[in-house]
Amino acid sequence: MKPDPEFQFIADTTTAKMTIRREFAARRELVWDCHTKPELLERWFAPKPLSTKTKSMEFQEGGHWHYAMVDQDDTHYWGRTDYTSITPKTHYATTDAFSDETGAPNTDMPISDWDVTFSDTSKGTMVETVIQYASPDDLQKVIDMGMKEGLTSTLETLDEVLAELTK
Amino acid sequence: MENKSPELDAVFHALGDPTRRAVVQRLVQGEASVSDLARPFDMGLPAFMKHLGVLQDAGLVVSEKHGRTRTCRIQPETLTAAERWFEEQRAFWQGRYAGLDELLRTLEQGKKDET
C-alpha cells in the first residue's frame, strides 16, 4: 500500500475508541457535501471493490441514512446511521448500527457513536472521525465478527509478511 | 482463530504507541540486541526498557540473555490476531478515502469545466 502521510488511524481497545484523521485537497464545503448528500456519499463510502447503495436518507437531526455496502457477489451488508447532531460544514454526530433490509437496527450487535469534525487546513480540509463503542467488550464483538466475515479483502501484504515470519 | 479479549487489549495497548510500533517493525526484519533497538530513539535506556516491557507483557516480543547482551525477537503468533484486524480497518479507511479523493477531484474538475 502507498504511504499516506496525511492519514492517521489510532485504535485503542482499552477505551473502545478509534480515531481516524485525514486531510483532503479540497474546500471544506465540498468535503462536507460528500459526507452529507446521498448521491455523493454513495460514490465513496464503501471502498473498492465494494459499492454503496442508499435505501433512504434524511440528513437532519433525528433523521437517518439506511444503506448497504454491496460486494461483488451482490451480498448486502446493511447499516443504519442516525443523525443526532448537526452543525453545518463543521460537525455531525451519529449513532451507527448494523441493520437489515428494512432498516431495523440489529440489537444483537454493538452500536457505535460517531463524531465527524471538519476543519480548514493550509492544504484544504481535515476530517476527524472518532468512533466510540460503549465498552471494550462491544468493540471485541465487532472485531470477532469482522474477522469471521472477512468483509475487507486487502490483507495480502500482511499475510505475506506473516508467512515470512513463521517460516 | 482465538481471540481472548484481555490479551488482545494488551496487544492493542502495546501497538498504540509509535516507539513500540517502530520496535515491532524493526524486529519483523530480524532479531536485535536491546542496545541496537534503543539507538534510534531519543530517550534514556530506562524509558526504552519500559516500552520493551509493555511489548513483552503483551506477548509480542521475547528476549534472551546471551552473555552480556540481551537479544529480542518478535512473536509472530501474537502479532497475527491483533495486527490482522488493525490492518483491515486501516486498509478499509484508506480505501474509502482514496475513493473520496477521486470523487473530490472529479467534482473540482467539473466545476472548472463549467467556468
Side-chain angles (χ1 to χ4, degrees):
Chain A
M1 190 152 298
K2 281 195 297 210
D4 199 350
E6 298 92 7
F7 178 79
Q8 266 188 301
F9 181 96
I10 304 149
D12 186 347
T13 48
T14 53
T15 56
K17 190 161 96 170
M18 289 189 279
T19 304
I20 304 111
R21 292 193 197 97
R22 174 64 143 75
E23 205 172 355
F24 295 94
R27 287 171 299 117
R28 182 143 60 104
E29 193 176 0
L30 202 59
V31 178
W32 172 265
D33 283 351
C34 286
H35 282 75
T36 57
K37 291 186 173 171
E39 69 276 16
L40 294 176
L41 193 51
E42 275 197 332
R43 288 167 68 180
W44 67 271
F45 193 73
K48 279 175 192 167
L50 302 169
S51 61
T52 318
K53 199 164 99 182
T54 296
K55 190 113 182 227
S56 65
M57 180 163 170
E58 262 184 301
F59 186 70
Q60 61 184 51
E61 288 177 6
H64 71 264
W65 179 35
H66 178 211
Y67 65 95
M69 293 199 216
V70 185
D71 72 12
Q72 285 155 310
D73 302 325
D74 205 38
T75 306
H76 287 52
Y77 301 90
W78 291 97
R80 175 182 164 137
T81 293
D82 282 76
Y83 298 103
T84 52
S85 142
I86 295 169
T87 309
K89 297 184 184 93
T90 304
H91 170 261
Y92 65 82
T94 69
T95 57
D96 188 78
F98 294 89
S99 86
D100 61 13
E101 203 176 341
T102 69
N106 179 347
T107 48
D108 294 335
M109 287 301 294
I111 285 173
S112 55
D113 288 322
W114 290 40
D115 271 292
V116 188
T117 309
F118 302 74
S119 55
D120 293 329
T121 66
S122 55
K123 192 189 150 197
T125 307
M126 172 68 80
V127 179
E128 182 189 76
T129 304
V130 179
I131 302 174
Q132 177 75 62
Y133 288 91
S135 69
D137 281 352
D138 273 7
L139 178 54
Q140 188 62 45
K141 254 192 195 175
V142 177
I143 294 173
D144 290 345
M145 194 209 65
M147 292 175 99
K148 232 181 283 157
E149 292 221 334
L151 176 61
T152 53
S153 54
T154 36
L155 292 166
E156 283 144 44
T157 322
L158 182 69
D159 281 342
E160 278 164 26
V161 172
L162 293 168
E164 269 311 300
L165 285 173
T166 43
K167 255 180 206 169
Chain B
M1 186 180 307
E2 276 193 44
N3 282 304
K4 292 191 190 106
S5 176
E7 288 171 18
L8 201 57
D9 274 352
V11 170
F12 272 88
H13 171 64
L15 293 173
D17 174 88
T19 300
R20 295 196 288 268
R21 269 204 305 277
V23 169
V24 168
Q25 277 158 8
R26 165 64 189 81
L27 287 177
V28 162
Q29 295 158 27
E31 58 176 45
S33 69
V34 170
S35 50
D36 281 350
L37 281 176
R39 198 163 297 131
F41 302 105
D42 190 19
M43 64 176 75
L45 196 60
F48 184 77
M49 291 307 288
K50 228 177 231 177
H51 282 304
L52 212 51
V54 174
L55 289 169
Q56 286 182 307
D57 290 346
L60 282 164
V61 169
V62 287
S63 73
E64 271 169 350
K65 202 153 187 190
H66 300 287
R68 302 185 51 161
T69 320
R70 184 167 282 281
T71 307
C72 300
R73 68 195 151 72
I74 203 94
Q75 285 278 80
E77 307 80 24
T78 312
L79 194 61
T80 318
E83 274 286 286
R84 179 176 290 257
W85 181 80
F86 191 68
E87 286 301 323
E88 271 197 14
Q89 288 298 310
R90 186 202 297 274
F92 193 80
W93 280 85
Q94 256 177 330
R96 164 179 282 174
Y97 280 156
L100 179 52
D101 276 337
E102 205 175 296
L103 174 60
L104 287 164
R105 266 198 301 275
T106 310
L107 294 172
E108 294 273 26
Q109 196 55 47
K111 229 169 209 158
K112 270 180 214 147
D113 291 346
E114 273 169 32
T115 50

